[in-house]
Amino acid sequence: MKIVAEIGSPGAAFVGSAIVQTSEDGSTWGTATGAVAVTGPGLNIQEITLKQYLRLNVTAYTSGNIQASFFGELI
């Protein structure tokens, strides 16, 4: 199943790197198919393939905030 991920920095001040990850078992995580690392401020929209579990993983952080919203199945 494919979904849309909207990743962004509300205050346009994020400095770091974040990526959407998925897992089948909740303990072994990998980059979601279709995901691209977000490395700065702004809005990023991605079409990703969903597995059982889903998370936004901040892999490097300097400052600012980042958030993700996930939207239902694409038809």
Side-chain angles (χ1 to χ4, degrees), residues 9-56:
S9 177
F14 177 70
V15 178
S17 181
I19 195 158
V20 176
Q21 295 181 328
T22 56
S23 171
E24 289 293 347
D25 60 11
S27 63
T28 304
W29 294 89
T31 299
T33 301
V36 178
V38 175
T39 58
L43 181 62
N44 188 288
I45 298 175
Q46 303 177 13
E47 180 180 311
I48 61 169
T49 301
L50 185 62
K51 290 188 180 178
Q52 181 71 23
Y53 299 95
L54 177 70
R55 72 180 181 186
L56 178 67

